Amino acid sequence: MKAIVLTPKTLFRLNQFSISDEWFNHFGLPEHENNIKRVVVGNIVYFLERELESDDCPVIVINLGAEGVFSDAPSRAATLERIITTARSIYTDSVSIPTSWRKHHEGSFLSIQATPRNYGWRARLHFNIRPRGSKDLFAFSRLDDTVAFSNLDLHLDIYDAAKADLAQAVLTAHEPTPMESRAGITLSQRLPQGFIQGATLDQWYTSKLTVEQRQFVDKPHDGPVRLRGSAGTGKTLSLVIKFLRDAIAAESDHRPMKFGFLTHSFASVDLVNSIGESLDTTGLFYASGKNVKLEVRTLYDLAHKHLNFELDQLIPLSLDGREGRRLQSELIETVLRELANSNIAGAQFQDVSPDIKQRWSAAASGGDKRLIAEVMNEFASVLDAEGVRSGEEKGERYAKGTAPRPAWLMQLHTEADRRFVLEIHRRYRKHLGEMNTLSVDQMIGDFNSFLDSNRWDRIRSRDGYDVLFVDELHLFTSVERQILHKLIKRNVEEDGRPKRPAIFMAYDLKQSPRDTFATYGDGDQNLFSASTGLQGSELVKLERIFRYTPQIAEFLADLDATFPAIDIPGEWDAYSGKAELESGSVPDLTVFPDEVSLFSTVFNDAHKVARSIHGGGRRVAVLCAGDDQFDTYLIAASGQFPGKYLPITSREPSSELRHAGKRFIFSMPEYVAGLQFDTVFLIHVDASEATLDAGDGIRRRFISNIYLGSSRAEKTLRISACMSRGGKSDILDMALDRKSLIETAPPPGKKRRL
Ligand SMILES: Nc1ncnc2c1ncn2[C@@H]1O[C@H](COP(=O)(O)OP(=O)(O)OP(=O)(O)O)[C@@H](O)[C@H]1O
């Protein structure tokens, strides 16, 4: 084959299928696909809408000939995913290209990294976004190294051939794909993220939603509304249904409106798009309607777009992924070492509390890293989030301790302690500056200032949203929460008073593995303090659980009882949930003697389940609760279990899940937030992660992490810990006592090395 040609709609439709490696041999269609026709003309395969009647629509042409885009077999499914995202960023407003793909743009040429980093980072994928002045998109080459655009072979002969036969393809009737060419593509009922397709939007609304979900979906646009519920109560689904229903209603009433859907991660954008596309029969999700415009974005995308970072060549450092956080941890460690080695700093900070002094010297000598984790959390939740800087007014207030500070944050008792943290932060920012980069939190700070500027005031009525939907609000920092209402167009009531912003937000504070929801420096510790413009919002609570079995719900209820109390008035309810699913097995706990036996047993077990389970390996996840163990196992697994697992190391590339085949998922709880699996192996729920005397903050974050990871399981939850790291954590004691978690003996181990 020389090329494949798709319309934007058929290309996006590929997202609803599960595609594996064999598909790339014949490019077939599954048997029951009734919307797309597949036609082969000459050496070119066309995927077109069945109802398409003319050839003047935009198409995406993918070169399969010389320098072909799918020339590297192991990574081609991942490359297809990148082509879909690139096309989405061009033809819809639903995504933009993630910064980590290292996009380069000149005139009508665009290049991105061809594959995620685990396949290597050098190869580049090249697009022509207006070949021969058309509205088409041509993915014309994949090269193993970076080549200047002026030296590229444009392969326009392939594009011309594809276009020449397009009319012929439109006129040709659909030919069912022969049996032998159908391999590698299946139309699965379940989306990779767990959502079960089948019911239409109307069916969901009229007969499946619970009374509370429907109450939320029916809310008018006259003020902010919160949707709160434990994991798996259908928050995301209710938001998407409301988003779509309200948009369809506005479109049919000819009301011009701009709808925004904001999330915290690219993975959630992907989830929302997939559910939306599966429910939407009107096509609003694929392209804006005549009156209505839909945008699904991460907050960072939006900030990026408005702040024009591309022009400044500044690359924001994502601290959401494991890689970014490792770098941040290394920078902080370097700073702690610098400070330990400097006589001046030694004298300056001789008065820090003995406890911090001791942990400082442990961290500087590469031992106990807990101080680093605490400092990282302090940066993310307070200093970067609130724009507190040493030497500035906010910094002084921080140092003097005049601003109120939630009790569960890092314990900084004295002014010397706080000045010490400010100094680490100052030096850390200096290092970042030298790397010509800035952290995402710093970017958000700039975005917040931009939204207060006169410039935004001018364009707000054009670029702002009429209504905004926000998922996973618990991951938003207090500055991010302050941003939301500024994104809404300014509207006034008939009597001249400003209208309350129509913002619909879903959250579950207990799923936050960092203290981002802390409100610092504002007398009001409420989640929606006055500065957010969201006070007094209405609340809808969800209590029925649709993701997991009653046994898992019971375990989560016992885990919940171990959360330390948190001073956020009205937001820290006890876990309540009634599971709607059938019974399953009771979650179990295995304590292994050491890391080697834990790793090899769990990975072998996960591999076995992944091979046999209906729906493939993507239904099985091994989630690691410890940072360092995750890094170690990532390396060990690449040698010992090659091709058997799919690593997810940031909140970005979840769409790869579709192509997991028989590979199981290996990740950490925070990177799979929002997703669900049949079976979850949650590893390293170890005592050493959060000892009894570790302080409320550390314990709360650890329990949140375990709650987040456990609640991803639908049917089977298997927890493990290891003796060499202190044995099982005491946070499991209540569940063990109440028998909602059962301990089993580890299998006799064969020795392997890590
Ligand atoms: N009324 C319902 N009937 C049947 N299934 C439902 C209903 N509501 C939600 N679900 C299903 O429950 C699962 C969990 O839903 P969803 O992901 O929206 O929950 P969530 O509250 O956002 O969870 P989390 O906070 O863990 O991300 C999904 O598979 C969804 O399709």
Side-chain angles (χ1 to χ4, degrees), residues 195 208 213 231-237 511 546-547 676 712:
F195 176 71
K208 295 190 70 162
Q213 288 175 329
T233 46
K235 297 183 292 296
T236 305
L237 182 70
Q511 285 185 47
F546 294 95
R547 177 175 301 132
Q676 59 194 54
R712 301 306 101 203

Side-chain angles (χ1 to χ4, degrees), residues 298-360:
T298 66
L299 187 59
Y300 314 113
D301 259 10
L302 206 62
H304 216 250
K305 183 178 125 196
H306 284 293
L307 298 178
N308 278 333
F309 278 102
E310 272 171 49
L311 299 180
D312 295 350
Q313 299 287 311
L314 254 183
I315 302 173
L317 169 73
S318 166
L319 298 179
D320 243 7
R322 185 64 203 120
E323 217 174 315
R325 304 200 73 205
R326 202 181 309 132
L327 175 69
Q328 191 188 19
S329 152
E330 279 164 18
L331 282 181
I332 295 174
E333 192 174 333
T334 310
V335 170
L336 288 174
R337 213 171 302 125
E338 270 170 26
L339 287 170
N341 293 339
S342 145
N343 291 336
I344 300 178
Q348 232 171 353
F349 298 110
Q350 61 182 343
D351 293 338
V352 296
S353 308
D355 166 50
I356 291 195
K357 201 176 256 174
Q358 184 210 339
R359 289 193 291 152
W360 170 18

Side-chain angles (χ1 to χ4, degrees), residues 49-65:
E49 284 101 290
R50 294 252 172 123
E51 66 276 10
L52 194 71
E53 284 176 353
S54 99
D55 65 347
D56 65 355
C57 57
V59 287
I60 294 104
V61 180
I62 302 176
N63 175 19
L64 305 177

Side-chain angles (χ1 to χ4, degrees), residues 417-432:
D417 293 351
R418 293 185 289 267
R419 290 208 184 272
F420 178 60
V421 172
L422 277 177
E423 177 62 12
I424 303 174
H425 189 234
R426 189 186 67 79
R427 289 177 180 241
Y428 158 79
R429 283 192 299 120
K430 190 160 153 271
H431 282 291
L432 274 187

Side-chain angles (χ1 to χ4, degrees), residues 194-196 204 208-210 213 229-238 271 471-472 474 508 511 546-547 673-676 711-712:
F195 176 71
I196 298 181
W204 269 107
K208 295 190 70 162
L209 291 189
T210 64
Q213 288 175 329
S230 322
T233 46
K235 297 183 292 296
T236 305
L237 182 70
S238 308
L271 174 67
D471 200 6
E472 298 180 322
H474 50 270
D508 176 13
Q511 285 185 47
F546 294 95
R547 177 175 301 132
L675 309 183
Q676 59 194 54
S711 61
R712 301 306 101 203

Side-chain angles (χ1 to χ4, degrees), residues 112-260:
I112 55 170
Q113 220 167 25
T115 52
R117 289 197 81 132
N118 49 316
Y119 295 101
W121 56 272
R122 299 187 79 92
R124 307 282 301 170
L125 193 61
H126 300 100
F127 295 91
N128 189 336
I129 46 181
R130 283 187 294 277
R132 304 232 187 258
S134 66
K135 289 198 171 126
D136 302 331
L137 174 68
F138 181 30
F140 66 91
S141 68
R142 177 195 190 280
L143 297 177
D144 285 334
D145 261 313
T146 306
V147 174
F149 283 173
S150 52
N151 296 335
L152 290 173
D153 183 339
L154 302 183
H155 299 290
L156 280 168
D157 52 324
I158 302 268
Y159 172 74
D160 291 340
K163 285 291 273 191
D165 286 335
L166 179 60
Q168 167 82 30
V170 171
L171 294 173
T172 309
H174 171 69
E175 309 146 7
T177 316
M179 195 56 192
E180 65 279 9
S181 310
R182 264 187 231 147
I185 184 161
T186 45
L187 183 57
S188 49
Q189 209 199 356
R190 199 183 264 283
L191 288 178
Q193 297 91 343
F195 176 71
I196 298 181
Q197 311 191 75
T200 61
L201 185 63
D202 267 348
Q203 283 164 342
W204 269 107
Y205 180 74
T206 49
S207 56
K208 295 190 70 162
L209 291 189
T210 64
V211 174
E212 294 77 23
Q213 288 175 329
R214 204 162 142 162
Q215 192 194 345
F216 174 76
V217 172
D218 286 339
K219 288 276 176 213
H221 293 184
D222 58 3
V225 181
R226 295 173 287 151
L227 182 63
R228 198 165 80 197
S230 322
T233 46
K235 297 183 292 296
T236 305
L237 182 70
S238 308
L239 279 177
V240 180
I241 288 179
K242 181 165 182 55
F243 183 60
L244 204 49
R245 268 182 64 86
D246 291 358
I248 292 173
E251 178 69 17
S252 69
D253 296 349
H254 308 287
R255 275 181 283 139
M257 277 181 87
K258 189 166 165 189
F259 283 69

Side-chain angles (χ1 to χ4, degrees), residues 405-409 524-527 564-572:
R405 178 183 171 83
W408 75 85
L409 285 177
D524 185 356
Q525 291 301 317
N526 198 305
L527 192 55
I566 282 217
D567 47 352
I568 296 195
E571 296 289 356
W572 202 252

